[in-house]
Amino acid sequence: MDVVKEGDYVLLWHSNEIKVIAVAKRGLVIGTVRGILRLDDILGKPYGSRIVTNLGHTFYITKPDIIDVLLKMPRVTQPIYPKDTSALIIMLNVRPGSRILEAGLGSGYAASLLAMHLKPLGQLISIERNSRYIAVAKKTLRTMEVNDVVDIINGDIAELALPEEYFDSALLDMGDPWRAIPIVIKALKHGGNLAVYVPTISQVEKVIRSMVDSNFIDIKMIEVNWREWKTTINEVRPKTWNLSHTGFIIVAKKP
């Protein structure tokens, strides 16, 4: 029987609006608007069972999604949100066994999702200038169980000597990606894609100019909008608050 063990991430679900993602620990007490949850009461219980708060409200005990756990990880930078990462995985042709270059590891959110699609034989080489970010990202990668396919370099991609025609694709998530683009094209295999993630239009112009000057082809730009709907019976409609603009994705191909 699959039961809750100490150290497990669990989803305690009352409704779409009231749910808790937590690590099952002895002695942990969580307050909600529907009452108190004592995690001692869920240890050893089968997934799919229920727990009742001190106010008599029921929560289901179940397993969280990958994204639920990832978004609980510490962050030291603004991460690439899952809605954007899902598009990047497709546009970079990420598959098991691929070699991916990343510059701008940040909190390790995008790296975690990319690495999941590279296992078991792929490789993600991530370059990050800030050593403090690296320390945080390493914990995230371990928690998400992908640290075995991620190699981290503390440095500036624009100052590193990268192997030529080594990577299948590359992702730049940094403040000044145009500096790295002339270097990245040499490191990509022919037909490899480069994706650049930036939040502002002023950055977009510089990125596209650098791509053109570096002889990239098939340049395109997208923005991913995520519109969530309320799923309550007799109230099915778009939610009042939705996650809209997070960043622009510019993708180009090495001929």
Side-chain angles (χ1 to χ4, degrees), residues 45-110:
K45 277 197 170 186
Y47 283 100
S49 55
R50 307 176 188 185
I51 182 175
V52 178
T53 70
N54 64 314
L55 298 181
H57 295 278
T58 300
F59 282 70
Y60 283 91
I61 305 167
T62 188
K63 295 185 177 183
D65 293 338
I66 290 169
I67 297 303
D68 292 330
V69 177
L70 184 60
L71 293 178
K72 291 287 288 184
M73 296 295 102
R75 63 179 69 176
V76 287
T77 59
Q78 183 65 40
I80 298 180
Y81 281 92
K83 72 180 182 71
D84 296 316
T85 308
S86 59
L88 285 166
I89 288 168
I90 294 171
M91 299 179 83
L92 291 176
N93 296 306
V94 180
R95 67 192 76 182
S98 296
R99 290 174 180 162
I100 310 295
L101 172 66
E102 178 191 44
L105 172 63
S107 302
Y109 283 30

Side-chain angles (χ1 to χ4, degrees), residues 169-190:
S169 55
L171 168 63
L172 301 179
D173 176 24
M174 48 193 288
D176 50 358
W178 44 87
R179 292 194 309 120
I181 290 172
I183 296 166
V184 171
I185 193 166
K186 297 176 183 178
L188 283 175
K189 297 177 181 178
H190 293 288

Side-chain angles (χ1 to χ4, degrees), residues 43-224:
L43 291 171
K45 277 197 170 186
Y47 283 100
S49 55
R50 307 176 188 185
I51 182 175
V52 178
T53 70
N54 64 314
L55 298 181
H57 295 278
T58 300
F59 282 70
Y60 283 91
I61 305 167
T62 188
K63 295 185 177 183
D65 293 338
I66 290 169
I67 297 303
D68 292 330
V69 177
L70 184 60
L71 293 178
K72 291 287 288 184
M73 296 295 102
R75 63 179 69 176
V76 287
T77 59
Q78 183 65 40
I80 298 180
Y81 281 92
K83 72 180 182 71
D84 296 316
T85 308
S86 59
L88 285 166
I89 288 168
I90 294 171
M91 299 179 83
L92 291 176
N93 296 306
V94 180
R95 67 192 76 182
S98 296
R99 290 174 180 162
I100 310 295
L101 172 66
E102 178 191 44
L105 172 63
S107 302
Y109 283 30
S112 294
L113 294 174
L114 290 171
M116 286 177 190
H117 291 77
L118 297 175
K119 297 187 75 168
L121 300 176
Q123 179 188 34
L124 174 67
I125 294 182
S126 186
I127 301 168
E128 173 57 60
R129 287 180 279 196
N130 192 311
S131 57
R132 184 171 68 89
Y133 297 174
I134 291 174
V136 172
K138 282 183 175 179
K139 293 179 182 178
T140 297
L141 295 169
R142 285 196 297 270
T143 299
M144 303 309 293
E145 299 180 347
V146 294
N147 54 300
D148 56 327
V149 295
V150 181
D151 294 307
I152 300 172
I153 298 172
N154 185 192
D156 185 340
I157 186 173
E159 299 175 357
L160 296 176
L162 299 175
E164 293 192 5
E165 298 181 14
Y166 181 81
F167 296 98
D168 297 294
S169 55
L171 168 63
L172 301 179
D173 176 24
M174 48 193 288
D176 50 358
W178 44 87
R179 292 194 309 120
I181 290 172
I183 296 166
V184 171
I185 193 166
K186 297 176 183 178
L188 283 175
K189 297 177 181 178
H190 293 288
N193 286 353
L194 164 65
V196 179
Y197 184 83
V198 291
T200 69
I201 284 292
S202 59
Q203 291 170 299
V204 168
E205 289 283 346
K206 293 179 181 179
V207 167
I208 294 174
R209 171 55 59 191
S210 184
M211 286 177 166
V212 170
D213 291 344
S214 299
N215 295 317
F216 276 98
I217 64 170
D218 198 21
I219 300 171
K220 46 188 173 282
M221 184 175 87
I222 67 165
E223 180 184 11
V224 180

Side-chain angles (χ1 to χ4, degrees), residues 31-48:
T32 77
V33 295
R34 292 293 182 265
I36 292 173
L37 295 165
R38 300 185 184 278
L39 295 204
D40 280 349
D41 296 339
I42 73 171
L43 291 171
K45 277 197 170 186
Y47 283 100

